[in-house]
Amino acid sequence: MSVKPTLNTSLSPSLLHLYDLSNTIVVIIDVFRATSTIASALYNGAEKIIPTDSVRGAIEIGTELGAITAGERDGKVADGLQYGNSPKEYGKDFIYGKVLVLTTTNGTRQLHMALKNGASEVVTGSFPNLSAVCDHILRSGKNVLLACSAWKDRVNMEDTLFAGAVVDRVKDFFDIQCDSSFFAANLYRTNKDDIWGLLKDATHYKRLSNYGLRDDMEFCMTPDVANVLPLYIDGALRSI
C-alpha cells in the first residue's frame, strides 16, 4: 500500500515557521488580491511576474528591466509604482508579452518567506485558478502546504475559504492530520452556496469595499476564470 503525501494548512504567515517545507509544494494564497492578480496577468499573456517584498525593490527591478511596476500597501497603489493590485488592470491588450514586477502587503511577502524557509516548490493559488492548483498538487505526489497570507498576520476569511475549497476537492488523495485543514474545509462546505453572505462581515471585504473594489472581489471569488498555474522558477512566476 502506497503512502499518501501529507497536506497541511497554515492560516497565517506567522505560523509558517512551524512547518517543514522540504519536499513540499507551498501554495501561496492571497485571494484579495495578489494571487488573483497573478493568475489574471499570466492568463492574459504576461511573460512573467517578478514578486518582490518591498516597494523599493520593485522600483529598482522595474527600472533595470524596463518592466511594469505594480502593487499596493494597505489596499492602495503604493507610492512610486505605476499600477495597482487589481486583477482587472491586466487585460490581454495591456499585459500580453510584458514583464510585471509586483509587490503587495501580504502575498508577495509570504512567497519570499516560503523560499527562505526552504520550500522545494512554490505556486500561487486563488479561486480564479482553483482547478489548476488542485490538478497540479494531485499530479505531483509531493507533500503540500496551503499557505494563507492573511492580513498582516491576522487570519482572514477569504484565504481560509480558498484553502478549504482545495482541501474539499483533494482530501481523498492526501494524509491530512491538520485541524486547520479540517476547519477550512468545513467553513467552505458550510458556506459555499452563500459565500457572499459570509464574506459581507469579513474585515478585508469591508476594507476593499470602502475603496470601491467590489468588482475586483467578485473576480477573485470566481472559480477558474484565469485557470493557469503560476510556478516560481528562477526568480519569477511563470504560467505552466
Side-chain angles (χ1 to χ4, degrees):
M1 181 177 177
S2 61
V3 177
K4 293 180 180 179
T6 64
L7 185 148
N8 289 287
T9 300
S10 169
L11 296 178
S12 164
S14 65
L15 301 172
L16 192 68
H17 69 282
L18 299 175
Y19 298 91
D20 179 4
L21 304 187
S22 59
N23 193 38
T24 297
I25 298 174
V26 179
V27 181
I28 302 296
I29 302 166
D30 188 0
V31 173
F32 290 162
R33 294 168 288 163
T35 54
S36 297
T37 295
I38 289 165
S40 176
L42 289 174
Y43 179 78
N44 286 316
E47 177 189 339
K48 62 183 178 180
I49 298 173
I50 301 174
T52 70
D53 54 5
S54 72
V55 173
R56 176 179 292 182
I59 294 170
E60 290 175 353
I61 295 170
T63 300
E64 178 183 348
L65 299 180
I68 297 168
T69 60
E72 53 78 27
R73 288 296 181 268
D74 297 330
K76 300 178 182 179
V77 179
D79 291 341
L81 300 179
Q82 298 167 300
Y83 296 93
N85 186 31
S86 168
K88 297 286 191 175
E89 290 182 87
Y90 302 102
K92 187 173 184 179
D93 58 341
F94 171 63
I95 199 62
Y96 187 86
K98 296 178 182 176
V99 175
L100 176 65
V101 185
L102 181 69
T103 182
T104 68
T105 304
N106 305 293
T108 58
R109 167 177 165 258
Q110 183 170 222
L111 186 151
H112 283 279
M113 289 173 63
L115 292 170
K116 290 174 184 175
N117 287 359
S120 64
E121 182 178 313
V122 173
V123 300
T124 65
S126 60
F127 282 99
N129 68 330
L130 171 62
S131 290
V133 169
C134 292
D135 291 346
H136 180 68
I137 64 175
L138 286 171
R139 287 194 304 264
S140 71
K142 290 185 178 181
N143 300 329
V144 171
L145 177 69
L146 304 176
C148 300
S149 296
W151 174 258
K152 297 183 178 180
D153 288 337
R154 300 169 186 171
V155 174
N156 70 20
M157 196 85 75
E158 64 276 6
D159 291 353
T160 305
L161 282 167
F162 177 76
V166 173
V167 174
D168 192 52
R169 284 201 186 187
V170 306
K171 60 185 182 299
D172 292 339
F173 301 92
F174 288 88
D175 178 22
I176 304 176
Q177 304 293 328
C178 168
D179 284 359
S180 295
S181 297
F182 298 140
F183 166 73
N186 285 331
L187 183 71
Y188 172 73
R189 281 195 296 269
T190 302
N191 295 281
K192 64 181 180 180
D193 294 328
D194 186 22
I195 290 289
W196 293 108
L198 179 67
L199 282 177
K200 66 181 175 58
D201 293 322
T203 56
H204 210 169
Y205 172 85
K206 292 178 179 178
R207 186 180 301 111
L208 295 178
S209 291
N210 289 336
Y211 300 149
L213 296 172
R214 175 64 190 248
D215 286 348
D216 270 13
M217 291 186 286
E218 288 183 355
F219 179 91
C220 294
M221 296 300 297
T222 304
D224 297 342
V225 289
N227 199 33
V228 296
L229 185 79
L231 173 66
Y232 189 85
I233 307 171
D234 296 332
L237 289 159
R238 301 173 186 268
S239 174
I240 64 166

